[in-house]
Amino acid sequence: MKLYKISTTEIKKLFNKLGCDKSGVSILDKKSKLHALYIKELHVGAANILKQDALSIGADLAVPSGVIIASEKIVDAVLIGTTKHFEILSKKELSQPFGLKDLALKLKSFINQKDYKTKIMGVVNANDDSFFFKSRFKGEDAVTYIEKLINEGADIIDLGGVSSRPGSQAVSPKEELSRLKPILDLIGKQKLYEKAEFSLDSYEPEVLKYALDCGFKIVNDITGLQNDEVCKLSAQYNAQVVIMHMQSDPKNMQKNPQYEDVIVEVNDFLEQRVEKAKSFGIKDIVLDVGIGFGKSLEHNLLLLKHLEHFKHFGYELLIGASRKSLIDMIVTSKIEERLPGTLAIHLESINNGASIIRCHDVKEHYQAIKLQEAIKSVEIL
């Protein structure tokens, strides 16, 4: 007999290789995935009921020591169990008091999660003040660069005409469009949208409409659909919409950003904006937690570490940390020296649930992601 520990990420393939019964594979798969759910502000009565129900099926609930005597009315807890355990509890708690019905309904969203193919979004800027100078292009030079990024492996091209770096100044829609129009016209004329998807990094309806008329399919809105007109336009064109979280605005977003709980507050914001998008008839949504947009280093790291949490919405997650200052805060480095840090963040983000990677260095990301995918997909001999 010989033993070795295996990764559970591809365990379903191993079950199939073993020749397990098809219905058995599904059951085994649910038993092999372990989840830990942090529950904040749980009624102590609910905690005691949930603890007993969890233990009765082989799961558990970590609670403060005083819960059994109800020393505190409201407590925090951690629910630990497999996908199968969570499925059982999502039904079992429907009839229980103290808010457990709401918990039961929410549990399903944390276990029935869709996986998406990883896509690379290449960055092209039509302004002179974007923080990475190698991404700045105008007119035909921009189109040449776009074609280069597509050939290097970009699935999406994200074009922008206004910098959103910390401290940047907003410009008028007229000025923004004047920077973008020559590039947009060439993209439309040459039908480059047939080679890749195109996204516009803007929140101005006038500018977005022009891009959508030139074959763009994605609205990348750093304000998270603040403007109702952007919502109407996106729905009219059936565009995919990237809803990003940002505290304050680019001009002052990095002036001592504060959160009581960054995960909860970003989640609540995205939840509200998803509902807004749906109310306008927007169907295709991507979520972006907004790394570097009104967050301290700790806030950014917490969001990256717990990115998987945001998969419960059921939408694709976009991460864009390319060459950003959080890398410099950990290892002192100039913008042009931050590619290794960028790759580390983005590969970890993919492991944690991201499927769209917004970056400046497409060729390097393509190679790194393909290697990561090869490692994940290899099967036991």
Side-chain angles (χ1 to χ4, degrees), residues 3 20 22 47 57 106 136 150 181 187 193 219 231 243 248 252 269 282 286 330 341-342 350 366:
L3 310 172
C20 299
K22 286 186 178 180
I57 62 171
K106 290 177 180 177
R136 304 172 194 163
I150 294 171
K181 189 175 180 300
I187 290 169
Y193 50 79
V219 171
C231 296
I243 300 175
S248 195
N252 54 27
F269 172 87
I282 296 170
V286 173
I330 297 170
T342 299
I350 293 169
Y366 182 84

Side-chain angles (χ1 to χ4, degrees), residues 39-44 47 63-64 66-67 72-77:
I39 307 170
K40 302 193 74 173
E41 301 176 3
L42 183 67
H43 190 283
V44 69
V63 295
V67 162
E72 298 287 342
K73 185 178 179 181
I74 303 297
V75 298
D76 292 348

Side-chain angles (χ1 to χ4, degrees), residues 19-134:
C20 299
D21 178 79
K22 286 186 178 180
S23 60
V25 169
S26 177
I27 294 168
L28 289 166
D29 188 45
K30 290 176 181 178
K31 290 181 176 180
S32 67
K33 294 178 181 176
L34 186 66
H35 307 276
L37 190 64
Y38 185 19
I39 307 170
K40 302 193 74 173
E41 301 176 3
L42 183 67
H43 190 283
V44 69
N48 277 304
I49 293 170
L50 186 57
K51 174 79 171 178
Q52 293 306 312
D53 285 346
L55 288 171
S56 72
I57 62 171
D60 208 339
L61 184 75
V63 295
S65 57
V67 162
I68 195 167
I69 59 171
S71 58
E72 298 287 342
K73 185 178 179 181
I74 303 297
V75 298
D76 292 348
V78 177
L79 182 62
I80 307 162
T82 65
T83 298
K84 185 62 178 178
H85 291 143
F86 276 30
E87 278 187 352
I88 295 169
L89 290 172
S90 71
K91 297 174 183 176
K92 197 176 183 73
E93 306 310 309
L94 284 172
S95 59
Q96 298 288 15
F98 304 118
L100 284 174
K101 181 179 179 179
D102 290 337
L103 174 68
L105 294 172
K106 290 177 180 177
L107 273 179
K108 292 181 180 179
S109 69
F110 286 94
I111 54 177
N112 299 323
Q113 296 179 350
K114 184 177 178 181
D115 291 322
Y116 296 90
K117 176 184 177 294
T118 303
K119 290 178 280 189
I120 299 173
M121 175 186 273
V123 179
V124 181
N125 292 302
N127 51 293
D128 294 328
D129 59 340
S130 58
F131 82 97
F132 185 46
F133 73 94
K134 288 186 178 180

Side-chain angles (χ1 to χ4, degrees), residues 120-125 142-143 145-160 183 187 192-193 195-201 216-218 220 358-359 362:
I120 299 173
M121 175 186 273
V123 179
V124 181
N125 292 302
V143 172
Y145 185 65
I146 287 169
E147 290 179 318
K148 175 177 178 288
L149 294 182
I150 294 171
N151 290 333
E152 288 178 347
D155 303 283
I156 306 167
I157 301 298
D158 190 45
L159 179 64
I183 303 171
I187 290 169
L192 292 179
Y193 50 79
K195 297 181 179 181
E197 292 186 285
F198 279 82
S199 164
L200 191 69
D201 183 357
F216 279 55
K217 299 293 184 184
I218 304 170
N220 186 7
R358 185 179 184 274
C359 63
V362 169

